[in-house]
Amino acid sequence: MEQTPAELWKQRSIAIAATVKEVASVDEALQYALELCQAAEPHEQLMGAEPERKGNILAAPGLPAEQAEILRKGCEEKGLVFVEGGLREYAGGMEVGVAWAACGLADTGTCVVESTNEDIRLATMLPETSVLLIRRSTILPGNENGAEVLQKFFGKAEPEFLAFISGPSRTADIERVLTLGVHGPLYLHAVLIND
């Protein structure tokens, strides 16, 4: 029996060191992000002066208002700090960043994230753990099937940025030893929402 695009995407994502969590709803996905942030080891201050911290930081710029409100309330209840803008101020250390993927590409296990907004770029690159929310219905079989989605982004008058994220950050530049988390997140949690 042939795999669905979502099944192949999940298999390929796991093969490149991503954690895939399947959930039934957006609310469940947001609760998962809150749990990851609460369980995270507090980040060591890596650079510059950081605003006073009262708990682990969950960065989630660019979410719809009702989703941002769920995270804001969840952070208050769990003693976490919710940030949705001005992420440069927190560049020295954020525990979890949350963003939506516009679509997924099954053949490579990739999430495509619209990241024209600098805060979204920072939320997917700077925290130790990146959480990408993706709907099952948006997973395409492969790169060649993404043309229509990509035309929506690149066909606009103003230039836009897309990030193609496949697993956590990795490099093998030094002595061919694979190292995770050097140029970005150490952990990638792709939350597959079964819509």
Side-chain angles (χ1 to χ4, degrees):
M1 186 163 84
E2 191 173 320
Q3 286 183 307
T4 66
E7 290 166 344
L8 179 60
W9 173 85
K10 180 179 176 182
Q11 177 187 0
R12 297 283 168 87
S13 293
I14 291 168
I16 53 177
T19 299
V20 177
K21 170 78 171 172
E22 290 192 60
V23 298
S25 68
V26 172
D27 285 355
E28 192 177 339
L30 298 175
Q31 290 306 314
Y32 180 71
L34 286 164
E35 290 166 12
L36 286 173
C37 192
Q38 187 174 31
E41 287 292 320
H43 227 87
E44 178 184 341
Q45 176 63 26
L46 299 176
M47 60 182 249
E50 181 179 296
E52 186 177 323
R53 292 176 63 126
K54 295 182 179 129
N56 285 353
I57 297 172
L58 186 145
L63 296 185
E66 66 275 2
Q67 294 170 19
E69 188 58 27
I70 289 169
L71 289 178
R72 183 178 290 103
K73 285 181 180 176
C75 284
E76 286 174 14
E77 291 169 7
K78 295 180 182 299
L80 305 171
V81 177
F82 178 68
V83 180
E84 57 181 331
L87 269 62
R88 279 182 180 247
E89 291 182 36
Y90 299 89
M94 293 177 272
E95 282 69 35
V96 173
V98 179
W100 274 98
C103 67
L105 305 174
D107 58 354
T108 57
T110 299
C111 291
V112 179
V113 179
E114 195 284 310
S115 54
T116 302
N117 179 313
E118 180 187 56
D119 283 331
I120 293 174
R121 288 195 304 276
L122 294 175
T124 60
M125 293 187 319
L126 293 181
E128 187 167 275
T129 300
S130 180
V131 177
L132 298 180
L133 310 175
I134 185 166
R135 295 183 189 278
R136 180 179 285 271
S137 61
T138 65
I139 297 176
L140 306 170
N143 293 328
E144 68 280 357
N145 303 97
E148 188 176 316
V149 173
L150 298 178
Q151 284 176 342
K152 281 196 299 188
F153 292 106
F154 295 126
K156 297 178 182 174
E158 292 293 317
E160 294 197 4
F161 297 96
L162 289 178
F164 288 71
I165 301 172
S166 303
S169 170
R170 65 187 67 232
T171 186
D173 290 347
I174 302 170
E175 296 183 14
R176 296 184 191 181
V177 175
L178 180 63
T179 307
L180 298 178
V182 174
H183 306 298
L186 181 58
Y187 307 105
L188 173 66
H189 290 257
V191 185
L192 180 61
I193 300 164
N194 292 312
D195 60 344

